[in-house]
Amino acid sequence: MSAELNHLRIGIPSKGRLSELATDLLIQAGLNFRRQDRSLFARVSSIPAEITFLRTDDIPTLCAEGAIDLGITGSDLIEEAGADVVVRMKLGVGRCRLAICVPTTGNIQDPSELKGKRVATSFPNTTERYLKQHDAPVHLVKLNGSVEVMISLGVADAIVDLVETGSTLAANQLRILTEIGQYETVLIQSPNCRDSATADRIVRRLEGVVIARDYSLLEYNIPRDKLAAAEAITPGFTSPTVTSLENNSWCAVRAMVKRSDIIPIMEKLELLGALAILETSINNCRL
Ligand code: PRP
């Protein structure tokens, strides 16, 4: 199958964890597609768009060049490529840090002490920029992966790598000397997008899913004289919905609440005197 010239092109990673995350997100947003064998393209049903499967680190450059109109990639890779793209939205996944890491046994305390030393990384541009700002020009060892073993292989004195949970560092007896930046998975748009209306429609669909993943719907009954205090605890996305109950001294409240805050909020409401506190997941929303 080949590309349709007038269809909006969405570039997503062709393999790995980010490929699965991007596929799930697009399908949940109603952008259904099926990749045949190892084809580079897949047509999206019911919208004039198609998916292009690419290397994650090529997506920023291809989007800047207009080969794809939208792309899902890491903000770390956009910075490294220096790509001129518009970040349309954060996708709420893939949060990580880029850090300079050194052996736990060494006594380097400051990035300036790396002057003239060997630093292995797959982020040479971001690393060089950061270390120049800290007056520490280094000898860069540019690699495409397995950077964490380069100190024990004797190839480098320090590394610059992504850190998510920190378990890779711990397994290799490394510690963070300093953080260069914080990154996450984002949706980007080309400055030369061939169909902005369809791009906006896709962004709205993805927003619906990403916001829904972050929030729950909380419902509870509260004595009317405690309503103001309860509303302060659950102000909602815009404002909570309040309805009267048969018993006039009580009312029912419904509000969106950040999923990560749900337990402490339920505890606060219970202490305030709320009853029948229910949490419901949201699959999709338009706000
Ligand atoms: C990344 C990164 C680290 C690891 C950090 O590698 O390069 O090696 O994740 O994660 P942690 O802090 O949770 O251990 P990735 O798995 O993306 O593969 P890579 O070797 O191709 O970089």
Side-chain angles (χ1 to χ4, degrees), residues 114 182 266:
L114 292 173
Q182 297 189 349
M266 285 175 100

Side-chain angles (χ1 to χ4, degrees), residues 7-69:
H7 277 190
L8 188 100
R9 286 188 209 153
I10 310 168
I12 72 167
S14 56
K15 53 185 178 186
R17 206 165 58 89
L18 192 50
S19 174
E20 286 168 30
L21 285 170
T23 302
D24 289 349
L25 184 64
L26 291 169
I27 288 177
Q28 210 183 331
L31 297 158
N32 295 303
F33 64 90
R34 200 149 39 102
R35 187 180 183 186
Q36 283 172 341
D37 303 326
R38 294 189 52 77
S39 169
L40 282 181
F41 302 102
R43 204 151 292 161
V44 177
S45 55
S46 77
I47 205 163
E50 61 189 29
I51 310 292
T52 308
F53 303 94
L54 300 163
R55 271 184 61 120
T56 316
D57 50 359
D58 284 339
I59 288 175
T61 305
L62 292 171
C63 192
E65 295 294 326
I68 53 173
D69 304 290

